[in-house]
Amino acid sequence: MRSDFRRDRLTWVVYVVAAWFAYLQASPGLVVVHLRDELGLSYSVAGLHVAAFAAGSTAAGVVSARLERWLGRGRLLWSAVAVLGVGVIGLTAGRIAEVTVGSVLVMGIGGGLVLVTVQAVLADHHGELRTVALAEENVAASIAYLALIGALSLAAALQLGWRVALLASLVVPLVAWWSSRRVAIDAPPTSRVVRGRLPAVFWIAAALLFCTTAAEWCVTAWGATFVTDAVGVSTDTAVALMAGYFGGVLIGRTLGSRLASRHSPARLLAIAIDSAPFTAVFGGCAAWLRPRCS
């Protein structure tokens, strides 16, 4: 790790908030399999939960810059945290699809604002070392994914239900806010806007991000449901088995954080683009072989 990269209190607080967001971001895909059993939802209605989170996140990205200018970065961050928390409470309290889908939409709005603000804070705070900070933030998010699997499995073992695993996480932002009351979270002065076309490398990166995010959301949203239907295990077991996928994500992101401290972002992006076809071929072969080996 580069010796000039410092993890101060602000950095750790942002890491914690990002991990909490990731914990809840992955939750709709893992709890929708429970909601299908409890509420008798069809695949289409179940899919609306994940779509609602994505729609809320998209809307948050559109309005985040204006909200930051209006509220300030610090207020925006903690307001977004509050909105995300309200959505979680609504999801756990909902007993009909309209309420649960609407609550996940609220979660997406709050979560999208949290993510945008967190990444802006890390990028501005660490300057040229922002690649390292953002990579470590993703490692924290991956740890939170596994924590979610553990919390859901523990809640199932204790017969507490999945709702307890989500509601218990609301303690995390409260502790983060209390411990950072004296930490300034401000945006830097607005620089002069330079107009012009975005370079080709931006569109390459955007296309790669779009494809990888789509694949990731497909797995996180439907992985547990697929395992339940294909293998015939219980809902709780299917959720626990998702630890394999999230463990792989943690390994990959940890490796990426180490590489980010030694190589330029452009080089890492080139490696990712070159390796993507091999990953797609491997996944396609696995999907083709599964029904033939069962």
Side-chain angles (χ1 to χ4, degrees), residues 74-203:
R75 288 182 180 179
L76 175 59
L77 175 62
W78 299 118
S79 298
V81 165
V83 172
L84 179 53
V86 169
V88 171
I89 295 172
L91 174 61
T92 57
R95 293 297 184 270
I96 58 175
E98 290 81 0
V99 174
T100 56
V101 171
S103 297
V104 174
L105 176 64
V106 174
M107 288 176 62
I109 295 172
L113 291 172
V114 168
L115 180 60
V116 170
T117 308
V118 158
Q119 293 180 338
V121 170
L122 291 176
D124 290 335
H125 188 61
H126 290 283
E128 294 182 355
L129 297 178
R130 59 186 175 274
T131 302
V132 178
L134 293 172
E136 290 191 348
E137 177 227 338
N138 277 277
V139 172
S142 300
I143 295 173
Y145 295 151
L146 290 177
L148 174 62
I149 298 292
L152 290 171
S153 299
L154 179 61
L158 297 177
Q159 297 184 346
L160 297 175
W162 60 269
R163 291 174 175 83
V164 172
L166 267 60
L167 291 174
S169 73
L170 298 180
V171 175
V172 174
L174 291 175
V175 174
W177 172 79
W178 181 262
S179 62
S180 62
R181 300 187 316 280
R182 297 180 177 84
V183 177
I185 305 178
D186 299 320
T190 304
S191 59
R192 183 174 60 87
V193 177
V194 178
R195 297 185 180 275
R197 293 184 177 181
L198 292 170
V201 68
F202 169 84
W203 296 109

Side-chain angles (χ1 to χ4, degrees), residues 25-32 50 145 213-225 242 245-246 249:
Q25 179 194 31
S27 63
L30 296 176
V31 305
V32 73
V50 181
Y145 295 151
T213 302
E216 178 184 6
W217 277 56
C218 285
V219 175
T220 57
W222 295 109
T225 300
M242 287 296 293
Y245 170 75
F246 289 120
V249 173

Side-chain angles (χ1 to χ4, degrees), residues 277-291:
F278 297 99
T279 304
V281 170
F282 177 80
C285 290
W288 181 80
L289 289 172
R290 189 199 65 79

